Amino acid sequence: MSSEYAKQLGAKLRAIRTQQGLSLHGVEEKSQGRWKAVVVGSYERGDRAVTVQRLAELADFYGVPVQELLPGTTPGGAAEPPPKLVLDLERLAGVPAEKAGPLQRYAATIQSQRGDYNGKVLSIRQDDLRTLAVIYDQSPSVLTEQLISWGVLDADARRAVASHEES
């Protein structure tokens, strides 16, 4: 493994660990000593080569696909982040609760987590749409059409959902 590749791999490992709010010692504690802080740190610095087996085990520990840790790949396999979907919260407030109750509660939860209370629009991710589709017992594309018909999503959302379903 080239030292540049090892450094890039290490940067990916560090990014995943920090996204999960873990210190090196936190990894050791959470893994109950299976992953030593000094070893994980040496992987992250590119000072120590990691075997494919150990990389797969570490990916499993972090709960991410192995390809997310490999240099030259980006989250979701795209060169840019997936397009966001923007909910019109003002229109959502006008949709009867018997239809939109789950969506209203979900949006309120996201607002609370983000501390985002502008009340006009809310960006959601493709993963949020998939979760909502499960709640509504529909496919993401069918739910997208329903939200467009309610006036909660712009018709451009079709392209974002279609491009995500193709990948």
Side-chain angles (χ1 to χ4, degrees):
M1 178 163 48
S2 78
S3 66
E4 184 55 36
Y5 189 86
K7 285 184 180 3
Q8 291 175 5
L9 176 68
K12 289 254 189 171
L13 288 170
R14 181 177 294 114
I16 294 292
R17 175 178 56 77
T18 57
Q19 283 174 9
Q20 295 187 3
L22 292 170
S23 66
L24 288 171
H25 290 289
V27 169
E28 189 167 337
E29 289 172 12
K30 184 177 176 186
S31 70
Q32 298 173 333
R34 180 165 182 248
W35 293 102
K36 301 293 184 203
V38 68
V39 172
V40 175
S42 64
Y43 291 156
E44 290 181 2
R45 289 187 305 277
D47 295 341
R48 184 177 188 158
V50 59
T51 65
V52 172
Q53 178 65 35
R54 292 291 280 171
L55 186 63
E57 291 170 3
L58 195 53
D60 186 52
F61 172 74
Y62 286 136
V64 299
V66 174
Q67 63 265 25
E68 294 295 320
L69 301 177
L70 299 175
T73 62
T74 55
E80 57 190 50
K84 288 185 180 171
L85 303 166
V86 181
L87 295 176
D88 184 326
L89 296 175
E90 292 174 327
R91 289 193 175 192
L92 178 58
V95 178
E98 60 271 8
K99 288 182 177 180
L103 176 56
Q104 290 166 339
R105 288 187 299 276
Y106 195 86
T109 300
I110 293 173
Q111 286 179 294
S112 173
Q113 289 172 343
R114 293 182 189 169
D116 176 7
Y117 298 102
N118 76 17
K120 296 181 191 258
V121 296
L122 180 70
S123 293
I124 63 170
R125 296 172 182 86
Q126 294 287 344
D127 287 344
D128 295 320
L129 183 66
R130 281 195 298 273
T131 300
L132 286 164
V134 169
I135 292 169
Y136 278 92
D137 195 25
Q138 298 176 347
S139 71
S141 55
V142 169
L143 179 60
T144 299
E145 291 302 321
Q146 185 173 341
L147 298 180
I148 291 169
S149 74
W150 292 350
V152 173
L153 274 180
D154 189 274
D156 288 342
R158 284 186 190 106
R159 285 199 319 270
V161 172
S163 69
H164 191 73
E165 287 179 344
E166 291 170 6
S167 56

